[in-house]
Amino acid sequence: MYKNLDTKLAYRVFTGGPLVCISTKNKQGTDNIMTAAWSCPYDTDMLLLVLDLGHTTTANLKDGSKLVVALPSKDQKDIALKLGSVHGSESGDKFEHFNLPFEKSLKLGFKTLKDANAYFECELTDPELLKDKGICLCKVLNVYVKEELFDDESQSFVPGCLNTLHHVSGGSFSTSGEIV
């Protein structure tokens, strides 16, 4: 037996990729980081993120084209919730605002979430798509993953480490579970 839901709840059933933390800079060089729940791979070296047109991150990407996308672990749930609780336009640098530990991405030098499972240094590929729809299609320039979490032979995360967060509703998340 199935339950018929309102189509506006489709995204809750078809949960997409993992929760991500997106780092950008504005024209003045102020760092920003936000949480985004709608993400997925678009191609082997491209990511697709859906952003609100009114967010500081979206404005930063309209003015620049670089971003860092971090995959927080389940242990970073509280940080992810904090980052999503305030707009960058109100808080300035959220790393400073929340006194969050960070590291600099290796090539772009952007602040990113310290101890994330992985992070991707990216460049926006379609500014019009972002401007019109809030869809951030970006080319991955570099990808970094914690050494102990990745198996070179299988070219995937090691079994048991899939602890990325997936938004369910409100402050509830699931993790990606086991490899079966």
Side-chain angles (χ1 to χ4, degrees):
M1 176 95 20
Y2 289 91
K3 179 177 185 168
N4 187 279
L5 298 178
D6 185 319
T7 56
K8 291 179 180 167
L9 295 174
Y11 75 98
R12 293 256 173 102
V13 177
F14 195 83
T15 54
L19 182 88
V20 296
C21 295
I22 303 168
S23 299
T24 58
K25 287 182 184 270
N26 66 15
K27 286 186 208 179
Q28 294 76 32
T30 303
D31 291 285
N32 184 59
I33 186 168
M34 70 164 281
T35 304
W38 292 9
S39 67
C40 67
Y42 180 75
D43 204 341
T44 57
D45 63 347
M46 296 184 80
L47 303 178
L48 186 147
L49 313 166
V50 180
L51 306 175
D52 186 289
L53 292 173
H55 284 175
T56 303
T57 295
T58 307
N60 290 350
L61 285 171
K62 287 178 182 177
D63 290 338
S65 63
K66 304 282 195 289
L67 62 154
V68 175
V69 179
L71 292 177
S73 72
K74 67 180 178 183
D75 297 333
Q76 295 174 313
K77 174 187 162 193
D78 291 340
I79 291 172
L81 287 169
K82 279 183 188 177
L83 294 175
S85 70
V86 65
H87 287 281
S89 60
E90 299 166 358
S91 65
D93 182 332
K94 288 188 198 177
F95 291 99
E96 290 179 14
H97 180 79
F98 290 115
N99 195 28
L100 293 177
F102 65 87
E103 54 190 78
K104 296 268 187 146
S105 68
L106 291 175
K107 300 287 184 185
L108 297 178
F110 281 27
K111 288 181 182 177
T112 190
L113 191 61
K114 186 174 177 65
D115 293 323
N117 289 329
Y119 71 88
F120 308 80
E121 294 178 302
C122 301
E123 183 169 27
L124 184 66
T125 61
D126 192 334
E128 290 303 311
L129 192 57
L130 177 68
K131 180 182 165 189
D132 293 341
K133 304 287 184 191
I135 296 173
C136 176
L137 189 59
C138 53
K139 172 125 177 100
V140 176
L141 305 173
N142 297 291
V143 59
Y144 306 93
V145 64
K146 283 186 168 180
E147 285 186 44
E148 67 272 15
L149 300 181
F150 199 78
D151 177 39
D152 291 330
E153 189 174 324
S154 68
Q155 295 185 327
S156 65
F157 279 113
V158 297
C161 84
L162 295 177
N163 62 0
T164 53
L165 294 168
H166 298 259
H167 187 251
V168 175
S169 174
S172 297
F173 299 87
S174 66
T175 60
S176 52
E178 299 176 21
I179 297 174
V180 293

